[in-house]
Amino acid sequence: LAGVAAALLGAVALAFGAQFQNRGVDTAAAGGSGGFGVRGLLGLVRQRRWLAGTGLLVLAVLLQLVGLLLAPLPVVQPLGVLSLVITALLSRRLEHARLQRRGVQGIAVSVVGVVGFVMTAALVTRSAPADAAAVTPVLVLAGVVLLVLLAVVLLRRGRLPALAAGMAGGICFGFVVTLMKALLDRASSAAAQGGLIDSSTPFTLLLLAGAGAAGLGGIVLVQTAYAAGSTGLVVAALTVIDPLVAVALSIGLLGAAAGAPPWALPVLAATQAVAIAGVVLTSLHPPVAEEAAVGPPSP
């Protein structure tokens, strides 16, 4: 329960941080040529809103790590979909936008799917340290994915569609969460045995370096997405891809659902599909400005 509470608070911090970061990116990218390269990224450090958003996102990450330390990854990670709900409400408040009926339905569907997923995962998954043999494929796969994404960004010179950049950022953060979960479990197990430094410490540091590289890639991609699209679209992409990648890696490679009954995986897949469908529906019907909702004045 403490892990779930930390994850929920992290989702709230993520939603507010995304709003502030997006506004800072919009200001920094104003008047640009449409791309968002190194100069645009460096200019963000002068934006107070972006710095405030970054602080909130750091808080969100810390809360998420607490949640991962206290609960299995498949239970904690999908709770980030709450960020989508809060983002929609913030858009209504800060941007004077009205929630569309289909958008509200999408939010409700997402919440139902996530609740079902979390309840099922809480019954059938476990949190235990993964050995180096199980974590190594995740580390190698993260390196390959980062190289591919780096090549794409360089070829496109920072000009990526918002949805593509947001989904790519979500993939990076999915690897960050998985590697950090493995690192935290290993550190917790080592501490319980009397010390954090032993023969496995070099591998633990390698996990930390891999998570840091994936996190840096995700940050760059998400800022690129903010420069090309709305907060709601980026948050929707993150809330779909991030938990999907993290849960798939956790169950498929780290054995989080080892020993689960036969019905568990189909139920987890179905409830995750429901949550994804709700996010897609919400992203297709984002909040609209009140003026647009009312329509143009009649002649």
Side-chain angles (χ1 to χ4, degrees):
L1 290 179
V4 169
L8 292 175
L9 290 174
V12 175
L14 172 63
F16 279 90
Q19 282 285 347
F20 283 112
Q21 273 205 334
N22 196 4
R23 292 190 170 208
V25 169
D26 288 342
T27 302
S33 58
F36 196 70
V38 176
R39 182 176 299 179
L41 289 171
L42 294 177
L44 292 176
V45 298
R46 296 191 296 269
Q47 300 295 328
R48 292 182 180 178
R49 287 178 176 174
W50 186 85
L51 291 174
T54 300
L56 287 170
L57 291 181
V58 170
L59 176 61
V61 170
L62 293 176
L63 288 168
Q64 187 180 46
L65 292 179
V66 172
L68 290 173
L69 184 62
L70 299 176
L73 188 151
V75 175
V76 172
Q77 191 62 12
L79 294 173
V81 75
L82 178 64
S83 301
L84 179 63
V85 180
I86 300 173
T87 298
L89 297 176
L90 286 175
S91 296
R92 180 179 182 181
R93 176 71 176 178
L94 299 177
E95 301 173 11
H96 304 289
R98 180 179 63 84
L99 296 177
Q100 300 188 62
R101 182 169 60 88
R102 292 288 186 184
V104 175
Q105 292 174 351
I107 291 173
V109 170
S110 296
V111 172
V112 169
V114 168
V115 169
F117 187 97
V118 171
M119 291 180 64
T120 305
L123 295 174
V124 303
T125 58
R126 60 186 179 86
S127 181
D131 57 26
V135 181
T136 298
V138 179
L139 195 59
V140 173
L141 186 58
V144 173
V145 169
L146 282 174
L147 289 176
V148 171
L149 293 178
L150 176 62
V152 171
V153 170
L154 291 176
L155 288 174
R156 296 299 300 268
R157 297 182 180 180
R159 301 171 186 267
L160 293 175
L163 184 59
M167 292 176 67
I171 292 174
C172 290
F173 289 135
F175 278 102
V176 171
V177 169
T178 306
L179 293 173
M180 288 303 299
K181 174 60 174 173
L183 187 152
L184 290 171
D185 285 343
R186 290 172 65 87
S188 178
S189 177
Q193 295 175 5
L196 291 175
I197 300 178
D198 54 23
S199 59
S200 66
T201 299
F203 185 76
T204 302
L205 294 176
L206 185 60
L207 290 180
L208 182 60
L216 181 60
I219 290 171
V220 173
L221 287 164
V222 168
Q223 307 315 310
T224 303
Y226 285 146
S230 66
T231 307
L233 180 61
V234 178
V235 172
L238 289 175
T239 53
V240 172
I241 301 301
D242 180 351
L244 185 61
V245 170
V247 171
L249 292 172
S250 179
I251 291 177
L253 296 179
L254 300 184
W263 56 265
L265 293 182
V267 171
L268 289 172
T271 50
Q272 181 72 7
V274 170
I276 291 173
V279 171
V280 171
L281 182 61
T282 302
S283 66
L284 292 175
H285 301 278
V288 295
E290 294 290 350
E291 294 79 3
V294 173
S298 56

